[in-house]
């Protein structure tokens, strides 16, 4: 016995090896969320921790070893299959550091990076790994559609084939018994129902078994399909099907080949006759199985009692949540009897020789009911002297047991009580051979089920003896094959006359597409024998697929796609291209592939390309990939336009800090790296509620009113979207001045936008403190590059009422104050303890008033240098002419060497290249 302590108090295991007489405590270094015991090795356990780590123990929890971190909840499995030679192998789904999921396998006691295996190439959809019997299932979504893959007996994965236009939205594996997959698929046009599909042995090709099966949501949001596999009888299922908004219960004995309604009991609990005529009235059952291991669920059956089914339901035209009663069948669903008028939990003891029923109620109880004759009669027993609020019932391991445990509380405030009930004293002997009778499995009198007649031995209802170990079927005899033993093959549909004919989307000749002239393939008759059906002779030869020589065919239906179905690839990384041919001789075929980048390859047959063609593109762009297939009977070609990109790492929006009204402003998105492939730019600016979408990285616009405006650009590159936002001030006029700094600032300049923004705030603060000028009049923008420089803007701030707006003369006065303080070295700030930085007025420069990123393109830098040199040349010539023709003394308001200001006006009033008269030295730039 193993008990887990309350994790809020401590993390420990209490282990008993003497039926609970004594316990030993083992402290844990992790908190257990769930446990998974090995189905065959009783001491082997997997433990999943609350921090998503998986641990293993080979000593029943006494010692633990870490297997893997980042494991997806409930996606870890023991390797159990018929041909498994590695019982200690663990299958799990783990998340990578970047959030992707992958399928891994490793040994429970030796799981390292070197010993892990990745059976499925690449990533899988999160929470999609299923390992069940001989099958492994994963899901991979591409192009907006989920694709499902299966591995049979741990061989290579193959894509599961559903009817072409099923277009599944969701899939659940219901059963993998008897070397076949039973799956529930929600198709594109379904919301609350699923279709049941059944596969071939490999789990690859699926055909429809039943449409519109009801589904619901569990307490944790999980999907619950109203389908129940009856234990003990292979191929027997119960399903609730929705027909014209009514839900009805159907039963099959041959894995969905044929379905029928349930015959209602002839009489009720009181013995009164029940008038219920098929198909208008029938018995309907609730098929939900309890997720709580301590309750038996609404429907129950056992492998060791193959003929007995206990369930709750109602009689009528449809399934209802009202007037629910309990029913039992002791002949595998052919006939039913009502046993209770209210819901009960039913437990199987002694191979079904004893049925224990306990009422579902919120009130405390002290009695339970026992039946020794498969539910025909019931006796009342007391199991506690004090009424108990029952939380659940648990049978001891092993179906031959006669011990059960009741869990509950004497009151809502009391501790949890465990009442152990042992029924051994009821029996005074074990059953002998004469206590049994033969019973033949049948379906409404038809004895051949799944191709065999099976006879079981059952205890005579009047004999009260203990059965002990289950003996199974007494004998089995194969039947002669009939049409009922065959289902429609993949691509075929059953018509009203019973024939299986090709679906409109299916071309039967496509089955030969993967074989070559001179070889042979299995040509389907449209039928396939139900898997695990044991019939012999009869029509088997007529309905079985026949070997046929492969016909020679010209290539047809050629396609070239990427392995993941995407139209994009990453520069410098492998992209896998798949060549698909619908028809054609795959062996005697010449395939030529041109990747569109100057490289081409040739192959002599398609079979050599089964794993795809890998290629690495060294440049970004859109490449035209072509494939040409030729054989002696003809040719075919296909084209793929592949977008090769590289990851976009950074976007920087470049535009002026300040501009004037009605002046055209250029905004440019500067990218790193500069070449990333096909891009889309989305722009928001001003008060626009709708974005502007362009394929170019630059736009021009104007602002017609003053104020602060936000500009945002988003750049879409493949699946990545990056953005940058800047603010631009708009005024009728303003002043600007270039600032420089003491050389020590360059030693601390990392030349990144964040640093420039922070230093701009510090400079502005020091200017305000040194001059007393209100901060609303000042804007400082540090420019990229070295030596460190900044642009100072003097702005005509006005109060929110719109009054007291500064005049041009006010701006002149503020500018003179700023220049005066700058020239007196009165503006400085402390960068860090002991590092003082002086702020100066710089000389005229042709640098633009925009914040560019360090990653300039070559052409942009050449253009910038050209503008600088031309600007300096014009300035020198202009100065030379002024000194010759119009010498001017220093302005009375400034000292020699002081900076003078230039008034910024709208474009129509003052040409940007015309300098204003003033003293030599630094000037405000337009």
């Amino acid at each position: 016995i193993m008990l887990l302590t309350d994790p809020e108090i401590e993390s420990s295991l209490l282990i008993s090896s003497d039926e609970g007489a004594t316990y030993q405590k083992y402290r844990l270094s992790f908190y257990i969320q769930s446990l998974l015991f090995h189905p065959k090795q009783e001491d082997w356990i997997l433990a999943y921790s609350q921090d998503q780590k998986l641990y293993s123990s080979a000593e029943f929890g006494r010692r633990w070893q870490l297997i893997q971190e980042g494991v997806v909840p409930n996606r870890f499995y023991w390797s159990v299959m018929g041909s498994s030679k590695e019982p200690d192998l663990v299958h799990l789904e783990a998340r990578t550091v970047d959030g992707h999921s992958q399928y891994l396998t490793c040994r429970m006691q030796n799981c390292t990076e070197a010993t892990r295996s990745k059976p499925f190439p690449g990533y899988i959809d999160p929470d999609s790994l299923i390992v069940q019997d001989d099958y492994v299932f994963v899901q991979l979504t591409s192009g907006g559609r989920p694709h499902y893959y299966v591995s049979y007996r741990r061989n290579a994965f193959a894509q599961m084939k559903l009817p072409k236009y099923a277009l599944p939205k969701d899939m659940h594996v219901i059963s993998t018994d008897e070397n076949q997959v039973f799956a529930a698929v929600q198709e594109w046009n379904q919301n609350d129902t699923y279709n049941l599909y059944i596969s071939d042995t490999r789990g690859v090709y699926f055909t429809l078994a039943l449409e519109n099966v009801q589904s619901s949501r569990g307490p944790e949001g999980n999907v619950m399909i109203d389908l129940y596999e009856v234990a003990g009888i292979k191929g027997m299922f119960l399903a609730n099907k929705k027909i014209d908004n009514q839900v009805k219960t159907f039963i099959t004995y041959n894995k969905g080949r044929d379905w029928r309604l349930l015959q209602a009991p002839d009489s009720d609990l009181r013995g009164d006759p029940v008038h219920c005529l098929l198909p208008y009235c029938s018995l309907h059952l609730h098929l939900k199985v309890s997720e709580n291991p301590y309750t038996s669920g609404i429907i129950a059956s056992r492998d060791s009692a193959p003929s007995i089914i206990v369930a709750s339901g109602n009689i009528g035209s449809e399934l209802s949540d009202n007037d629910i009663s309990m029913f039992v069948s002791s002949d595998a669903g052919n006939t039913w009897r009502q046993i209770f008028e209210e819901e009960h939990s039913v437990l199987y003891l002694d191979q079904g020789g004893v049925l224990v029923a306990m009422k579902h109620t919120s009130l405390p109880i002290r009695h339970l009911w026992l039946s020794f004759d498969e539910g025909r009669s019931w006796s009342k027993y007391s199991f506690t002297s004090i009424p108990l609020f029952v939380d659940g019932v648990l049978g001891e391991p092993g179906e031959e047991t006669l011990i059960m445990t009741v869990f509950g509380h004497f009151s809502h405030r009391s501790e949890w009580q465990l009442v152990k009930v042992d029924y051994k004293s009821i029996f005074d002997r074990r059953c002998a051979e004469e206590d049994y009778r033969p019973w033949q499995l049948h379906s409404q009198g038809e004895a051949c089920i799944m191709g065999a007649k099976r006879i079981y031995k059952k205890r005579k209802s009047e004999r009260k003896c203990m059965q002990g170990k289950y003996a199974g079927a007494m004998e089995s005899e194969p039947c002669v094959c009939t049409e009922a033993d065959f289902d429609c093959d993949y691509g075929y549909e059953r018509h009203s006359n019973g024939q299986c004919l090709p679906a409109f989307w299916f071309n039967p000749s496509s089955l030969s597409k993967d074989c070559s002239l001179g070889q042979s393939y299995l040509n389907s008759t449209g039928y396939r024998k139900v898997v695990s059906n044991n019939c012999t002779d009869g029509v088997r030869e007529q309905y079985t697929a026949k070997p046929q020589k492969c016909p020679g065919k010209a290539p047809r239906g050629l396609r070239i796609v990427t392995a993941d179905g995407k139209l994009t690839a990453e520069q410098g990384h492998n992209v896998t291209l798949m060549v698909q041919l619908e028809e054609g001789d795959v062996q005697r075929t010449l395939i030529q592939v041109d990747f569109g980048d100057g490289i081409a390859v040739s192959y002599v047959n398609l079979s050599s390309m089964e794993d795809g063609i890998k290629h690495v593109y060294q440049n970004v762009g859109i490449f035209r990939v072509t494939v040409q297939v030729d054989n002696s009977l003809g040719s075919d070609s296909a084209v793929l336009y592949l977008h090769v990109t590289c990851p976009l790492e950074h976007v920087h929006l470049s535009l002026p800090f300040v501009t004037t009204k009605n002046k055209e402003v250029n905004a440019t998105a500067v990218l790193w790296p500069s070449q990333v492939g096909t891009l889309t730019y989305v722009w928001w600016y001003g008060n626009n509620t709708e974005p502007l979408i362009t394929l170019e990285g630059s736009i021009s616009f104007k602002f017609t009113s003053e104020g602060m405006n936000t500009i945002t650009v988003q750049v879409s590159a493949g699946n990545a979207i990056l953005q940058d936002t800047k603010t631009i001030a708009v005024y009728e006029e303003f002043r600007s001045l270039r600032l420089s700094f003491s050389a020590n600032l360059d030693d601390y300049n990392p030349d990144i936008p964040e640093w420039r923004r922070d230093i701009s705030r510090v400079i502005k603060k020091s200017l305000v403190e040194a001059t007393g000028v209100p901060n609303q009049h000042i804007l400082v923008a540090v420019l990229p590059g070295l030596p460190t420089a900044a642009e100072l803007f003097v702005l005509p701030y006005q109060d929110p009422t719109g009054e007291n707006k500064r005049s041009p003369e006010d701006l002149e006065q503020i500018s003179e104050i700023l220049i005066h303080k700058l020239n007196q070295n009165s503006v400085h700030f402390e960068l860090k303890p002991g590092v003082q930085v002086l702020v100066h007025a710089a000389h005229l420069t042709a640098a633009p008033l925009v914040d560019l990123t360090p990653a300039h393109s070559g052409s942009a830098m050449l253009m910038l240098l050209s503008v600088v040199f031309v600007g300096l040349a014009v300035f020198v010539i202009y100065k030379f002419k002024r000194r010759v023709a119009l010498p001017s003394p220093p302005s009375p308001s400034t000292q020699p060497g002081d900076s003078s200001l230039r008034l910024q006006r709208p474009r129509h009033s003052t040409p940007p290249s015309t300098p204003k008269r003033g003293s030599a030295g630094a000037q405000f730039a337009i």
Side-chain angles (χ1 to χ4, degrees), residues 303-320:
D303 286 327
S304 56
S307 63
I308 305 174
I309 308 170
V310 182
S312 65
N314 64 281
I315 298 171
S317 60
E318 64 177 322
L319 182 66
S320 172

Side-chain angles (χ1 to χ4, degrees), residues 564-577:
D564 58 6
K566 297 179 180 178
L567 297 175
T568 60
E570 194 170 326
Q571 177 191 13
H573 289 71
N574 264 324
V575 57
T576 302
L577 300 171

